[in-house]
Amino acid sequence: MTSTIDEKITVLLIDDQSIIGEAISRMLAAEPDIVFHYCSDPTLALKAAKDCNPTVILQDLVMPQMEGLLLVRYLRSQDSPTCHIPLIVLSSKEEPVIKAKAFELGANDYLVKLPNNMELIARIRYHSKAYINFLKRQEAEALFKEEIMRQAAYIEEVDRVTSAASDVERDAFQPDKLTEVAKRSDELGQLARVFTNMVKTVKAREKELITANTELESLLKAYGRFVPHEYLRFLRKEKITDVQLGDHVSKVMAVMFSDIRSFTTISENMTPQDNFNFVNAYLKRVSPEIRSHYGIIVKFLGDGMMAVFPEGADDAVAAGVAKQKRVHEYNEERVKKGYLPLQVGIGIHVGHMMLGMVGEENRMQGDAFSDNVNLTARLEGLTKFYGVSLLISEQTLEHLSNSTKYQIRFLDRAVVKGRTEPISVYEILDAEIDEIKILKLKSQPDFEQALDYYRQGSFEQAKVYLSKVLSVNSADKTADLYLSRVNYLLQSDNRTEKWDGVWRFTEK
């Protein structure tokens, strides 16, 4: 095979003094087989080398833009494309220490400029010839390796097919291809006969296989709608057929429940088909935000959903905020069409839980189990009492890597229905529309003062600050809820008896 290496000599001079470039250019001008290139800026040396592909580089050691020995080190670094190109260092005088350092860094030669014309050309030819031969050796080695690999692949294929020949050669088809090759008495002939007999069978099956593969691909896509691929990855399963009843993963995760507020009111005038269309229109807008934040939708609950976030609170809260933004965008469309806007409540909690496959052998589905899951469902239910969009537990807040990323408002210490221990709950204001968020932030100092008095049992003082909050934001349902509480507590005979600042909910 003819070599692809260009044998012409190409010189690249790197020197900030144009007079040196002109002098060396004149020295080489009479040599028809030498091409000269000049670079005055050492910071552009690598680009110049890439553009001209030199067979030898001449480099000055004293340049204002870059110290010469540093450039030598750079050109000779292992990851540089110039690391093998011969390098002749030019210096204004003979300096043994500098010369030794240049050789230590990888320079191939050292000349005091301006060198003798004949000596310079001789050294350029010597180093260029050596470099061209080096490139040829590399090319030859590559071609040799390529040929060895090709032969090895051929032998491997022949061995593989030949080993199967005795099994497939009994097919009773008339040969219509490879007739001449099949007359050989060696292994290649046997291989040709096998493939001759296989061709018609393969052609006959090809259409069937294409159809079967298309159907299988559609089936796998359909399975993926019921058992998402991220669910399989979480269970460490490669394909749906590997999933077994009872497969599960147990770890600390964030869990999210969400639901549309007043769904019955919105849907009461809809037909069943309209209800399906409405729910699907909503879910297709918000569900992608779960996946894009590394969450797994465990199940849809009519107009709501349950999702887990294996990597924890940061993903879950970011998904909740993004999900509410999609709801706000959807509401703009709905209002323009004359429909009622949606209000979606989201609750997020972090705790240990098991996620896996439940059911029986002939019917199973993914689900999550833990008291923490039940608590999250209760948290989502609390959003309707507080009138908030996104509510998180204190455990979620503690697991956020950077809670200052969000505007967070403490809401309450409460005991949810079905539990005995109180939890602290917080509102993520970033999930609200800007108008509501601004009003809540504006009234937050008064709100926090009201809660301080409330927890201390100073209900009259709490009323004063709650009234201030409602004067700023009359739609603050949380403040209104607290006002109702303090009025109730002020009217209660035993309002101060064992008051611990914790509210106990009796409803879901």
Side-chain angles (χ1 to χ4, degrees), residues 257 349 370-380 393 395 416 419 421 423:
F257 273 83
H349 179 55
S370 170
D371 183 53
N372 291 307
V373 174
N374 299 329
L375 175 57
T376 311
R378 295 287 185 269
L379 289 176
E380 181 275 318
S393 66
Q395 288 82 358
V416 299
R419 293 178 67 91
E421 294 297 322
I423 60 169

Side-chain angles (χ1 to χ4, degrees), residues 144-157:
F144 179 71
K145 290 179 181 178
E146 181 181 344
E147 178 63 19
I148 292 298
M149 293 293 290
R150 188 191 67 79
Q151 291 185 12
Y154 173 77
I155 292 171
E156 182 181 353
E157 291 177 0

Side-chain angles (χ1 to χ4, degrees), residues 264-282:
T264 303
T265 303
I266 296 173
S267 63
E268 61 185 359
N269 294 322
M270 295 183 185
T271 66
Q273 183 63 56
D274 290 338
N275 262 310
F276 270 103
N277 294 342
F278 163 66
V279 170
N280 287 331
Y282 159 71

Side-chain angles (χ1 to χ4, degrees), residues 140-263:
E141 289 174 2
L143 291 173
F144 179 71
K145 290 179 181 178
E146 181 181 344
E147 178 63 19
I148 292 298
M149 293 293 290
R150 188 191 67 79
Q151 291 185 12
Y154 173 77
I155 292 171
E156 182 181 353
E157 291 177 0
V158 169
D159 289 343
R160 188 183 302 118
V161 176
T162 301
S163 65
S166 59
D167 296 326
V168 299
E169 197 174 15
R170 290 188 293 272
D171 290 343
F173 289 96
Q174 295 296 320
D176 55 2
K177 288 187 178 180
L178 301 177
T179 303
E180 293 301 318
V181 180
K183 295 178 181 178
R184 297 169 61 103
S185 58
D186 57 10
E187 288 183 346
L188 189 58
Q190 185 182 24
L191 177 66
R193 289 193 297 275
V194 170
F195 273 97
T196 298
N197 290 333
M198 288 178 63
V199 167
K200 287 190 176 181
T201 302
V202 170
K203 290 295 183 183
R205 299 287 184 268
E206 185 176 4
K207 188 175 181 180
E208 297 175 12
L209 289 173
I210 292 173
T211 302
N213 285 335
T214 302
E215 293 176 354
L216 179 60
E217 185 176 344
S218 299
L219 183 61
L220 290 174
K221 287 181 179 178
Y223 275 132
R225 297 188 186 103
F226 293 94
V227 182
H229 296 299
E230 57 266 24
Y231 205 114
L232 293 180
R233 288 193 295 270
F234 182 70
L235 293 175
R236 300 182 182 88
K237 304 295 181 182
E238 291 187 3
K239 50 186 181 295
I240 185 68
T241 53
D242 293 337
V243 176
Q244 300 293 325
L245 185 66
D247 287 341
H248 71 277
V249 172
S250 178
K251 63 176 292 189
V252 173
M253 293 180 275
V255 60
M256 171 196 289
F257 273 83
S258 68
D259 196 24
I260 298 177
R261 301 271 79 88
S262 304
F263 176 70

Side-chain angles (χ1 to χ4, degrees), residues 200-418:
K200 287 190 176 181
T201 302
V202 170
K203 290 295 183 183
R205 299 287 184 268
E206 185 176 4
K207 188 175 181 180
E208 297 175 12
L209 289 173
I210 292 173
T211 302
N213 285 335
T214 302
E215 293 176 354
L216 179 60
E217 185 176 344
S218 299
L219 183 61
L220 290 174
K221 287 181 179 178
Y223 275 132
R225 297 188 186 103
F226 293 94
V227 182
H229 296 299
E230 57 266 24
Y231 205 114
L232 293 180
R233 288 193 295 270
F234 182 70
L235 293 175
R236 300 182 182 88
K237 304 295 181 182
E238 291 187 3
K239 50 186 181 295
I240 185 68
T241 53
D242 293 337
V243 176
Q244 300 293 325
L245 185 66
D247 287 341
H248 71 277
V249 172
S250 178
K251 63 176 292 189
V252 173
M253 293 180 275
V255 60
M256 171 196 289
F257 273 83
S258 68
D259 196 24
I260 298 177
R261 301 271 79 88
S262 304
F263 176 70
T264 303
T265 303
I266 296 173
S267 63
E268 61 185 359
N269 294 322
M270 295 183 185
T271 66
Q273 183 63 56
D274 290 338
N275 262 310
F276 270 103
N277 294 342
F278 163 66
V279 170
N280 287 331
Y282 159 71
L283 291 176
K284 79 176 182 181
R285 284 170 168 81
V286 300
S287 298
E289 294 297 346
I290 304 297
R291 292 188 294 274
S292 65
H293 290 86
Y294 312 105
I296 301 172
I297 297 175
V298 178
K299 54 187 173 183
F300 292 106
L301 305 164
D303 58 303
M305 70 169 68
M306 171 189 173
V308 297
F309 295 82
E311 299 307 315
D314 290 312
D315 292 338
V317 174
V321 172
K323 186 175 174 179
Q324 287 290 9
K325 288 184 178 179
R326 298 292 84 76
V327 173
H328 301 331
E329 293 169 359
Y330 186 32
N331 280 338
E332 292 177 0
E333 297 178 24
R334 289 179 59 79
V335 171
K336 287 179 182 178
K337 296 178 181 179
Y339 297 127
L340 291 172
L342 304 183
Q343 289 185 329
V344 175
I346 299 175
I348 298 173
H349 179 55
V350 173
H352 193 277
M353 64 195 70
M354 291 175 57
L355 179 64
M357 306 305 297
V358 299
E360 47 95 11
E361 290 296 338
N362 295 319
R363 175 68 174 88
M364 57 184 175
Q365 66 180 30
D367 208 343
F369 292 92
S370 170
D371 183 53
N372 291 307
V373 174
N374 299 329
L375 175 57
T376 311
R378 295 287 185 269
L379 289 176
E380 181 275 318
L382 292 184
T383 60
K384 64 185 177 184
F385 293 102
Y386 296 111
V388 300
S389 297
L390 177 53
L391 186 151
I392 67 171
S393 66
E394 58 187 316
Q395 288 82 358
T396 305
L397 180 62
E398 290 168 358
H399 279 79
L400 285 174
S401 61
N402 181 17
S403 61
T404 59
K405 179 180 178 181
Y406 301 101
Q407 299 285 350
I408 299 175
R409 184 168 78 153
F410 172 78
L411 293 184
D412 207 354
R413 284 281 290 170
V415 177
V416 299
K417 183 177 174 59

Side-chain angles (χ1 to χ4, degrees), residues 51-183:
D51 291 340
C52 69
N53 294 318
T55 58
V56 65
I57 296 175
L58 308 179
Q59 182 215 309
D60 186 17
L61 276 181
V62 181
M63 293 177 283
Q65 301 96 328
M66 183 183 294
E67 199 273 322
L69 290 177
L70 177 61
L71 181 58
V72 173
R73 185 189 300 273
Y74 179 61
L75 293 174
R76 276 291 172 267
S77 61
Q78 288 299 314
D79 57 349
S80 171
T82 60
C83 65
H84 296 298
I85 299 175
L87 178 62
I88 301 175
V89 172
L90 300 178
S91 180
S92 58
K93 58 183 177 179
E94 189 79 23
E95 296 183 18
V97 174
I98 299 298
K99 181 188 295 188
K101 186 63 177 177
F103 284 129
E104 180 183 337
L105 293 174
N108 299 90
D109 210 339
Y110 188 101
L111 286 174
V112 176
K113 62 180 180 181
L114 281 171
N116 174 269
N117 180 52
M118 183 178 298
E119 180 183 2
L120 175 64
I121 293 173
R123 295 197 187 210
I124 286 174
R125 292 189 186 282
Y126 172 77
H127 289 296
S128 293
K129 186 64 175 179
Y131 179 61
I132 292 171
N133 288 336
F134 166 76
L135 294 179
K136 287 182 176 180
R137 285 197 304 274
Q138 279 194 323
E139 182 183 52
E141 289 174 2
L143 291 173
F144 179 71
K145 290 179 181 178
E146 181 181 344
E147 178 63 19
I148 292 298
M149 293 293 290
R150 188 191 67 79
Q151 291 185 12
Y154 173 77
I155 292 171
E156 182 181 353
E157 291 177 0
V158 169
D159 289 343
R160 188 183 302 118
V161 176
T162 301
S163 65
S166 59
D167 296 326
V168 299
E169 197 174 15
R170 290 188 293 272
D171 290 343
F173 289 96
Q174 295 296 320
D176 55 2
K177 288 187 178 180
L178 301 177
T179 303
E180 293 301 318
V181 180
K183 295 178 181 178

